[in-house]
């Protein structure tokens, strides 16, 4: 287990360094904003079932987005994984498959970000068949 822990720590350090370079911010700040968005939009559906939105957007200023573009797949996956762990700890259920997207937003002041969430509808199996014909 020691080697696995060392690898995990190394990956976390590289993740932190990437965010610090790109956003000039601690990555924990962005992750905390995602967690707050999730918590703020939690809906108790009865019998201990708590639903949360399943689509999250991290909107970045143009310049910041451009610097992050080459790493966007890894960043989105890391943010998604972090939010999934948070939801699991809280006992939340997502309203569908979880997705975190990093998007360009010219209205966000340079060097800042904004987090928004929504419920993205499920794509049914029938929808796939309809699209194929």
């Amino acid at each position: 287990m020691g080697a696995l822990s060392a690898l995990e720590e190394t990956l976390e350090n590289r993740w932190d360094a990437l965010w610090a370079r790109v956003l000039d911010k601690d990555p924990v700040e962005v992750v905390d904003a995602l967690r707050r968005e999730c918590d703020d939009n939690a809906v108790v559906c009865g019998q201990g079932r708590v639903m949360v939105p399943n689509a999250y957007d991290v909107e970045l200023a143009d310049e910041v987005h451009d610097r992050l573009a080459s790493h966007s797949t890894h960043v989105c996956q890391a943010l998604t994984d972090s939010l999934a762990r948070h939801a699991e700890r809280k006992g939340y259920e997502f309203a569908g498959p979880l997705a975190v997207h990093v998007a360009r937003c010219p209205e966000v002041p340079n060097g800042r970000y904004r987090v928004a969430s929504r419920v993205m509808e499920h794509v049914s199996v029938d929808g796939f068949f309809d699209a194929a014909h």
Side-chain angles (χ1 to χ4, degrees):
M1 277 314 250
L4 185 59
S5 295
L7 176 63
E8 185 176 291
E9 185 176 332
T10 300
L11 291 174
E12 285 179 18
N13 289 340
R14 288 185 182 198
W15 164 249
D16 291 348
L18 172 66
W19 272 104
R21 272 197 323 267
V22 172
L23 293 177
D24 297 325
K25 299 199 173 309
D26 188 348
V28 172
E29 188 177 330
V30 176
V31 171
D32 283 346
L34 279 168
R35 290 175 182 161
R36 271 192 311 279
E37 182 72 14
C38 182
D39 293 343
D40 291 348
N41 290 288
V43 175
V44 177
C45 297
Q47 305 246 352
R49 189 171 182 201
V50 180
M51 300 295 291
V52 293
N54 63 320
Y56 294 80
D57 294 311
V58 177
E59 300 173 337
L60 302 173
D62 288 338
E63 181 180 311
V64 177
H65 185 272
D66 291 344
R67 284 186 275 160
L68 187 64
S70 64
H71 303 287
S72 63
T73 302
H74 300 294
V75 170
C76 291
Q77 187 61 54
L79 291 172
T80 300
D81 292 347
S82 179
L83 191 57
R85 286 190 300 273
H86 172 72
E88 185 177 336
R89 282 191 300 271
K90 294 278 197 159
Y92 295 156
E93 291 180 47
F94 289 105
L98 175 61
V100 176
H101 301 278
V102 174
R104 174 189 311 271
C105 185
E107 293 87 37
V108 176
N110 193 20
R112 299 293 302 161
Y113 61 90
R114 180 170 48 204
V115 174
S117 65
R118 66 190 183 288
V119 173
M120 188 168 50
E121 295 183 28
H122 298 304
V123 177
S124 69
V125 172
D126 294 334
F128 282 111
F129 287 122
D130 291 344
H133 297 356

